Amino acid sequence: MVSSVDALKDRDPARIGAYTLLARLGAGGMGQVYLGRSPGGRLVALKVIRDEIVDHPEALARFRREVETVRAVRSAYTANLIDASLESAPYWLATEYVPGPTLSNAVAQRGPLPVETCRGLLAALAEGLAAVHAYGVTHRDLKPQNVILGAQGPQLIDFGIARTAAQTVLTEAGFAPGTPGFSAPEVLLRNEVGPAGDVFALGATLAYAATGRPPFGHGEPAGVSYRAVHEAIDLAGVDPGLAALLEACVAKDPVARPGLGEVIARCGVRTALVEDTFYGGLAGLGEAVPSPPTARPPMPATPPGSVHDLPTVAPQVPHGYGYTPTQVVQPTPAARPRGKSWLIAGAAGVVVAVGAVAAVMFLPGGNDDTRKGADDTAGPGTTSAAATTSGGGGSELRPPAYVEQTNPSRDYWTADTASGAGQGACILPVEEQNLQFQWSVTAADANAPYTSGKGRLGFRLTSTPSKPYYVSVAVKPPHEIDADTGKPIEGAPQQNLDLGYTSKPAAASTGWTYLTYPDDFRQIVLGKETGDAIPVANDPGDWTVLYLHVQGTKKYASIACDGFVSK
């Protein structure tokens, strides 16, 4: 259902169910998407859930809900469900395959769309959204990457964790769904979702189509989201009539946005979009369907679906990048914010540690309700710290064996480009305040800012704690990493919602504890090590370093946030 058609890899299975696999269509946090062919010759898009998360009940519940939603929402603007397997692993679903480029790829190849093509596309997508809303479902992540320009008209894709009014709402406190630049202000600030949020995303998507530019500019997610909340959308050069309609769609107040019926009427289309000559040229940009290999290489000894057979990007349970969050039409109560608004935190900045001497974080923290996870056990087994602790008090302490991600991580450190000393700020405030905690992030081979090679990450307490105080460090690349290459997923780099690579929790003391990146860091998924930490040179950009107070494998809170720029 996407225009990127990549060859199968040796580790890919030859078949899924009754379907012969032809190519890879993409990957996301929940699994791999393949192009398949039925015994009778019908092309399908097969989404296979990753083996690492099949034991996570909430992930499976969401996958089953996706199947139910796709089965229920039958529209000319959505791909119909063909088949699914939900009884045992591997879990998968098959939908109609819609050849054609994404709107994002089409604009990248051909540039901005003419005004009449934009009007026709806007009306068609508004009609498609209205059809989806009629089933009690909203999209929540409409954007150019989730629109396929098919020969029979545009298609809305990805209902990864859709909800209908009759289904149980599963949410995570503090998680704002959607994509920066296309998410509405009420979604970003209060996690309030509904049809009006889809209208905002529709307006932003068509602004991109009309200009070829991100609707709220380039840059880090924090800055883009801040502009979406507080500043005007970029419509420079757009036809005044179309610009006025798009401005109405992206009004900051959801009540001020037009309904989808009004959007369609104001487009004033008189002909079918597929009759538009420019649109017809775009629809022909899709890649040809490959033939399956005549002889597949020998399959590995481990069966398909093992830990490394599908991309092992850490699961965004329950939200995964590449699988579009959706939501019930009726807005749910706003999630409790973590401390101060992250938009305010992003603008105000934080104090960060630079060089050999650590600074102290003075931001106010969240309350106990905001801590990640709910597991206050020590997990399956304990272990001593991976790194050597200088100073007394740590050798006899036994911290949890590891820390494991429970929710999507939207902690991002952004460098201050005006600073030559590696300074920057995080977009989210710390969750737990500890004025006795100090930390440092430097290069391992010199007392200098960390930019390449190995890093030296340290922490300590300025006074002896009354009880064991366990700390784990998480080092997070700026982009989602392809486990096959150890580098960002090919194509457009995708924002990393992973916690990153983590160290074994260690007991903090008044002496400095030092860890070396990447040596002392691993990726943990469902209690298993799924990969070593990658070299920072593999993903140039702003890396995030989180210091976590750990009380259990799934109960932790950030006490400091720092970062560095990988060159």
Side-chain angles (χ1 to χ4, degrees):
M1 292 168 57
V2 295
S3 63
S4 176
V5 179
D6 298 320
L8 294 171
K9 298 187 178 182
D10 291 350
R11 67 182 59 188
D12 291 325
R15 302 174 66 84
I16 292 289
Y19 301 92
T20 300
L21 300 190
L22 305 178
R24 285 183 164 210
L25 295 179
M30 287 187 69
Q32 179 70 46
V33 183
Y34 294 102
L35 175 63
R37 187 184 63 205
S38 73
R42 185 175 192 176
L43 294 177
V44 299
L46 269 156
K47 183 185 295 184
V48 185
I49 193 170
R50 278 212 327 273
D51 186 71
E52 298 98 302
I53 61 175
V54 297
D55 293 328
H56 196 293
E58 190 170 278
L60 286 181
R62 291 176 183 276
F63 189 72
R64 290 190 172 100
R65 191 164 57 210
E66 175 182 5
V67 173
E68 294 170 8
T69 303
V70 176
R71 179 182 288 119
V73 178
R74 302 186 69 85
S75 162
Y77 301 94
T78 59
N80 292 326
L81 182 73
I82 303 299
D83 199 358
S85 175
L86 301 175
E87 299 304 319
S88 61
Y91 300 94
W92 54 267
L93 67 84
T95 62
E96 293 175 303
Y97 172 66
V98 182
T102 63
L103 176 59
S104 177
N105 287 343
V107 172
Q109 293 184 56
R110 296 289 176 85
L113 279 56
V115 59
E116 291 307 316
T117 305
C118 285
R119 290 182 184 275
L121 181 60
L122 176 57
L125 291 176
E127 189 172 88
L129 283 175
V132 171
H133 290 178
Y135 287 91
V137 175
T138 56
H139 196 287
R140 280 213 308 180
D141 200 16
L142 177 62
K143 56 187 176 183
Q145 294 92 331
N146 281 342
V147 175
I148 298 293
L149 304 182
Q152 302 305 313
Q155 297 276 306
L156 299 170
I157 64 170
D158 273 346
F159 291 84
I161 51 172
R163 287 194 279 271
T164 63
Q167 292 171 326
T168 302
V169 175
L170 301 178
T171 62
E172 307 77 48
F175 173 70
T179 299
F182 299 92
S183 293
E186 70 273 13
V187 175
L188 294 167
L189 293 173
R190 299 181 297 277
N191 200 12
E192 293 179 1
V193 294
D198 277 354
V199 174
F200 182 98
L202 177 63
T205 296
L206 265 295
Y208 170 83
T211 65
R213 302 184 297 270
F216 291 97
H218 296 274
E220 292 298 319
V224 173
S225 295
Y226 181 89
R227 290 191 290 273
V229 172
H230 298 287
E231 298 179 6
I233 193 170
D234 176 11
L235 291 170
V238 178
D239 171 82
L242 177 61
L245 176 53
L246 297 181
E247 285 177 343
C249 290
V250 298
K252 306 303 183 186
D253 183 355
V255 177
R257 297 170 202 150
L260 292 170
E262 180 182 344
V263 172
I264 295 170
R266 290 178 63 176
C267 287
V269 297
R270 297 291 183 267
T271 60
L273 179 61
V274 295
E275 298 174 1
D276 183 288
T277 303
F278 191 89
Y279 180 87
L282 298 178
L285 293 176
E287 297 183 26
V289 176
S291 299
T294 55
R296 291 292 301 275
M299 294 299 293
T302 54
S306 65
V307 170
H308 292 290
D309 285 342
L310 295 178
T312 54
V313 179
Q316 310 309 324
V317 179
H319 291 295
Y321 190 96
Y323 295 88
T324 305
T326 54
Q327 172 66 315
V328 291
V329 168
Q330 294 80 359
T332 59
R336 179 183 295 225
R338 304 191 327 168
K340 292 184 178 181
S341 165
W342 62 268
L343 288 172
I344 298 175
V350 296
V351 181
V352 296
V354 179
V357 180
V360 178
M361 182 78 74
F362 286 104
L363 276 180
N367 55 43
D368 289 341
D369 293 337
T370 66
R371 294 186 183 183
K372 297 180 175 70
D375 178 13
D376 55 6
T377 66
T382 57
T383 183
S384 60
T388 300
T389 303
S390 60
S395 59
E396 299 300 321
L397 300 178
R398 298 180 65 81
Y402 58 90
V403 61
E404 183 173 337
Q405 178 171 350
T406 58
N407 292 322
S409 172
R410 290 183 175 269
D411 294 280
Y412 300 106
W413 180 86
T414 303
D416 180 359
T417 56
S419 169
Q423 296 179 342
C426 292
I427 69 169
L428 292 179
V430 296
E431 297 171 294
E432 178 181 293
Q433 187 178 31
N434 187 342
L435 297 181
Q436 281 70 51
F437 186 76
Q438 295 182 333
W439 73 99
S440 66
V441 177
T442 64
D445 57 357
N447 184 14
Y450 183 31
T451 59
S452 61
K454 293 187 177 184
R456 189 170 187 252
L457 286 64
F459 61 86
R460 73 164 188 148
L461 296 173
T462 58
S463 62
T464 302
S466 59
K467 60 182 180 179
Y469 190 88
Y470 301 132
V471 174
S472 176
V473 183
V475 180
K476 175 178 175 175
H479 304 109
E480 188 174 351
I481 301 300
D482 186 336
D484 292 328
T485 64
K487 296 181 179 181
I489 295 174
E490 294 182 2
Q494 300 172 2
Q495 182 182 359
N496 189 1
L497 298 179
D498 185 15
L499 181 62
Y501 305 100
T502 56
S503 67
K504 291 183 178 181
S509 70
T510 55
W512 281 94
T513 294
Y514 288 108
L515 301 164
T516 299
Y517 185 87
D519 300 5
D520 296 325
F521 292 80
R522 299 291 185 271
Q523 188 173 61
I524 304 294
V525 178
L526 295 179
K528 301 177 182 178
E529 290 189 6
T530 61
D532 295 335
I534 65 170
V536 298
N538 282 18
D539 189 13
D542 294 348
W543 285 58
T544 303
V545 178
L546 296 174
Y547 290 84
L548 308 172
H549 176 206
V550 181
Q551 295 178 289
T553 57
K554 295 182 180 180
K555 187 174 183 180
Y556 56 88
S558 63
I559 50 176
C561 178
D562 204 333
F564 57 88
V565 179
S566 170
K567 301 296 186 180

